[in-house]
Amino acid sequence: MGLPKITHPIFTTKLPSSGEIVRYRPFLVKEEKILLLALSGRDSDEMSLAAKQIVNNCVIDLKHDIETLPVFDIEWLFIQIRIKSVGPDCTLVLTGLQNESCDKCQLGIKSTVDLNLVECKKEESHNPKIELTEKIGIKMKYPTVQSFNRDSANVADFLYDYIIDCIECVYDDEKIYEKHDFKKEELYDFLDNLNRDQLDKIQNFFATMPECKLDVVFKCECGNSETKTIRGLSSFFE
Ligand SMILES: [Zn+2]
């Protein structure tokens, strides 16, 4: 005879990328262990891997491979799961406020935020289809956790690898060129031959895509106050 099985409530939320409805359960002690381990590492890569693992455990009947989900979808799901598991309150500390006469400012000002207020929306100008010339364009896809965890030789290569990872296809007025039909060198060469303006258009895709963020006001008893936009999981859960 086995021990009685404990059932858990099920909640739903919409994926910021597609609006698709996803079901999830709160996280349990086994997932809290994963989280504690990641938090003790204080490393944003570890945090995003832990979030991916926890989301993968807690979502029910996800139609996609977790590896293909955009980072902001995973962050959004993680925050929703955290709200239902621990509660919506999260205490953040702002350090580095320049006020030498106030000890509290120097120690860091705390602010308790309601995670229900976190938003994850794209900017209005956002478009995954980028027209480079009148005839040639790129269709982009969103970065996944994997897009950030690669062994690029240097910073410039990292930027190229990151962009290439997020290219879905290139097109002109005649056909669509699938990324996997081309060698890495050919893709590097394609990027090398863009002008500043065209590269800016690509960077604008990343700058305007959805992002989990919240404006937080930090206020000290001495009157000092500062508003900071908190973005990314590692800044919410330090
Ligand atoms: Zn102060």
Side-chain angles (χ1 to χ4, degrees):
M1 192 179 79
L3 287 168
K5 184 120 175 111
I6 298 167
T7 57
H8 303 284
I10 289 170
F11 304 93
T12 59
T13 187
K14 278 184 186 168
L15 286 186
S17 63
S18 62
E20 186 187 313
I21 290 176
V22 172
R23 302 196 302 148
Y24 63 93
R25 63 158 172 81
F27 57 65
L28 310 174
V29 174
K30 58 186 168 184
E31 282 97 24
E32 250 178 286
K33 277 190 205 158
I34 301 172
L35 188 59
L36 278 175
L37 221 64
L39 290 175
S40 66
R42 299 198 157 265
D43 177 330
S44 64
D45 288 346
E46 266 178 57
M47 182 67 208
S48 60
L49 290 172
K52 185 178 75 174
Q53 174 77 62
I54 291 170
V55 167
N56 199 32
N57 287 9
C58 297
V59 292
I60 299 158
D61 320 322
L62 187 70
K63 291 193 204 86
H64 315 267
D65 178 356
I66 191 91
E67 302 294 340
T68 67
L69 271 196
V71 172
F72 58 78
D73 275 350
I74 290 181
E75 294 189 343
W76 175 258
L77 287 169
F78 179 81
I79 290 170
Q80 305 318 306
I81 293 167
R82 199 274 190 184
I83 290 170
K84 294 291 190 260
S85 315
V86 181
D89 288 351
C90 173
T91 300
L92 303 171
V93 183
L94 180 70
T95 51
L97 267 189
Q98 297 303 313
N99 185 358
E100 288 180 10
S101 59
C102 176
D103 290 347
K104 287 187 175 140
C105 277
Q106 288 189 48
L107 277 173
I109 305 172
K110 282 186 186 171
S111 182
T112 299
V113 301
D114 178 353
L115 291 173
N116 284 309
L117 300 176
V118 173
E119 288 195 325
C120 190
K121 284 184 187 155
K122 62 179 186 226
E123 287 183 29
E124 264 180 38
S125 65
H126 184 72
N127 190 351
K129 223 171 151 182
I130 302 168
E131 286 178 14
L132 297 173
T133 70
E134 265 179 39
K135 287 180 178 166
I136 301 170
I138 308 180
K139 189 154 180 266
M140 303 293 289
K141 60 187 179 69
Y142 295 117
T144 63
V145 171
Q146 188 55 37
S147 312
F148 295 94
N149 289 296
R150 51 181 68 254
D151 303 319
S152 306
N154 53 56
V155 180
D157 279 6
F158 178 84
L159 179 67
Y160 269 29
D161 291 340
Y162 178 66
I163 293 173
I164 289 169
D165 192 65
C166 297
I167 292 177
E168 192 174 296
C169 63
V170 176
Y171 61 88
D172 62 16
D173 51 351
E174 283 172 10
K175 62 181 273 195
I176 291 169
Y177 305 85
E178 296 294 345
K179 184 174 65 183
H180 53 76
D181 292 335
F182 297 90
K183 288 200 205 87
K184 190 175 165 178
E185 296 73 43
E186 294 174 290
L187 294 160
Y188 264 55
D189 196 49
F190 179 79
L191 292 181
D192 265 338
N193 283 295
L194 297 177
N195 65 30
R196 184 73 240 174
D197 203 40
Q198 291 160 336
L199 187 64
D200 282 350
K201 284 185 179 177
I202 295 178
Q203 286 182 329
N204 193 53
F205 163 80
F206 294 111
T208 57
M209 69 185 182
E211 181 182 33
C212 292
K213 60 182 177 187
L214 179 65
D215 288 335
V216 180
V217 182
F218 293 89
K219 234 181 191 156
C220 182
E221 288 165 23
C222 71
N224 223 345
S225 101
E226 196 168 311
T227 305
K228 206 175 164 224
T229 304
I230 305 293
R231 22 169 72 96
L233 280 190
S234 56
S235 351
F236 278 107
F237 306 104
E238 271 182 317

